[in-house]
Amino acid sequence: MPSHRCAASDKICGVGPTEFSYDGSMVTSSLSSMAAQRGLPRLTAEEAALLIKDGATVGFSGFTPSGTPKAVPHAVAQRARLEHAAGRNFRIGVVTGASTGPSLDGALSHADAIAFRTPYQSDAHLRQRINEGTTKFFDMHLSTVPQNLRYGFLGEIDCAVIEACSLRENGEIVLTGAVGIAPTLCRVAKKIIIELNRHHPRELLGFHDIYEPLDPPYRRAIPIYHASDRIGDPVIRVNPSKIAGVVETDLPNDPIWFEPSNPKTDRIGQNVAQFLAQERRAGRLPADFLPLQSGVGDIANAVLSSLGNHPEIPPFEMYTEVIQDAVVQLIRDGRIAFASGCSLTLSPNRLASVYENLDFFRGKILLRPQEISNQPEVIRRLGIISVNTAIEVDIFGNVNSTHILGKSMMNGIGGSGDFTRNAFLSIFTCCSTVAGGKISTIVPLVSHCDHSEHSVQVLVTEQGVADLRGKDPYERAIAIIENCAHPDFRDQLRSYFRASKGGHTPHTLATAFSMHENFLQTGDMRKAKADD
């Protein structure tokens, strides 16, 4: 087995997964026996919070609300309130795998306990503080976070707070429903606090594939050649002396709810499925298909459901970040053969159904660190079809996936850039209008650019599909306006395009943001006047 770096030390190790039982039988039966053997202190959440000092940088496990600690962040938030009431400073830097939930980002933000945040978030109150400038936020490609931590780009990690379903002997940690950056946090943090959450079954042992590559210039090839390839260990290994304490909990994940599909999202899903079926029919996709990556959300669930229901799409694999509700159902139906991801981001009922049927899903789902799930090398090798969601797209194919009106952060770039730039086929989806039809998602020029025309190959709305491959800017503009823009906005976009003459990419800077400006003035893009 190729050598890789263990989470517990800087040495190179070649320990393979065959050394572990994946049926859950080797899970330590109780924390008390481990605590007695290793002298690990049991702490209340409040006692654990006292180990985190003002100005510390704290790394939290999890990826979405899945795998995210809950009791300790709440206790840290309460401590921040008490310190502030006493006239003392208390704010920490927060580093996670991706977004979390109300128990972490929400609690800490409401307590004004976050000095800076990276790499991704989705909490409304935290978003408000970021856009007010009271909390610093820097957006990062999710695949780069672990390496940046190891190189010290984010400074020292004073403490890691890790949610686990079990602690094995010799400091082996079995994670819950997500991996994220937990292996790297456990390695680089000065101390580790474990939230041992009994809500999650210990039989999750074997669902994780923990692997950290060596850093440049010593990095070797990451040996994943199929989505189902297992290359690491089922546990994170740490020196028990590094564990500062264990907090026992029995807390469910912050709930994730997906809106039911609607005619718009259903049509987007059908358009994606029909396009991919046509590509397969034309021989531009292999007959046995390619692994799929999908963003998270209502449109993503609709796309996955449509692919699963399309008679010309064969059973396929997922190599993605987030395993969401539609994936679980398609695995049950035999339409998804295997799903490799970073987290189980499921609604409560769907997660419960997985936990009740772990034997069925064992061998069909694998959870990896985001450094591996989002690894450009692997994405390029496997030939991933990526499907992500845009906030707005301009008529030349540039995509904004992070900022509202060019300045207000929504959530962050997440892993969309990791997949888009390296995919065999990169697709972006969005509804053609939002806000009751007052806003067109197709605009003359995006107000913020996350994914340039060089990486965006296909755009899909409920109106249709624009295949941008092999087209120059003039051809792309016509394809997007005529196939993807809402009819209410096509004349405005055509007028702008006709008036913008000359140059390789025809823009008129004086009116490029006229639709955005009109929305700011009137609350409706439809009243914008484009030059004729």
Side-chain angles (χ1 to χ4, degrees), residues 376-443:
E377 172 197 340
V378 177
I379 294 166
R380 185 67 62 90
R381 179 187 298 130
L382 296 183
I384 301 296
I385 301 170
S386 73
V387 185
N388 290 287
T389 304
I391 289 176
E392 64 178 1
V393 185
D394 68 32
I395 59 176
F396 303 107
N398 301 293
V399 168
N400 170 15
S401 61
T402 60
H403 285 72
I404 304 300
L405 294 171
K407 65 177 185 178
S408 295
M409 171 60 67
M410 189 62 183
N411 298 329
I413 196 169
S416 58
D418 297 324
F419 286 94
T420 296
R421 287 195 174 189
N422 299 286
F424 174 87
L425 182 62
S426 62
I427 300 171
F428 274 90
T429 62
C430 59
C431 296
S432 63
T433 61
V434 295
K438 295 178 181 179
I439 295 176
S440 172
T441 58
I442 311 300
V443 295

Side-chain angles (χ1 to χ4, degrees), residues 264-272 429-431 460-462:
K264 271 191 177 183
T265 58
D266 284 343
R267 188 59 191 161
I268 291 170
Q270 292 161 12
N271 286 344
V272 172
T429 62
C430 59
C431 296
V460 181
T461 70
E462 81 282 3

Side-chain angles (χ1 to χ4, degrees), residues 143-212:
S143 68
T144 66
V145 179
Q147 179 172 287
N148 288 352
L149 288 171
R150 291 192 297 268
Y151 271 107
F153 295 167
L154 305 182
E156 293 185 329
I157 304 300
D158 298 285
C159 183
V161 185
I162 307 295
E163 182 181 82
C165 67
S166 178
L167 289 175
R168 291 164 53 95
E169 293 184 6
N170 302 317
E172 294 172 351
I173 301 167
V174 183
L175 297 171
T176 59
V179 181
I181 59 173
T184 300
L185 288 176
C186 287
R187 176 219 287 269
V188 303
K190 296 177 183 177
K191 58 179 175 284
I192 301 170
I193 297 170
I194 301 292
E195 271 200 25
L196 189 64
N197 192 342
R198 299 302 190 189
H199 188 80
H200 302 280
R202 293 174 292 167
E203 289 76 18
L204 282 172
L205 174 66
F207 277 84
H208 309 91
D209 189 35
I210 308 301
Y211 181 100
E212 274 191 288

Side-chain angles (χ1 to χ4, degrees), residues 78-89:
Q78 181 59 25
R79 183 182 172 201
R81 290 190 183 93
L82 294 173
E83 292 292 312
H84 297 162
R88 293 186 291 266
N89 294 327

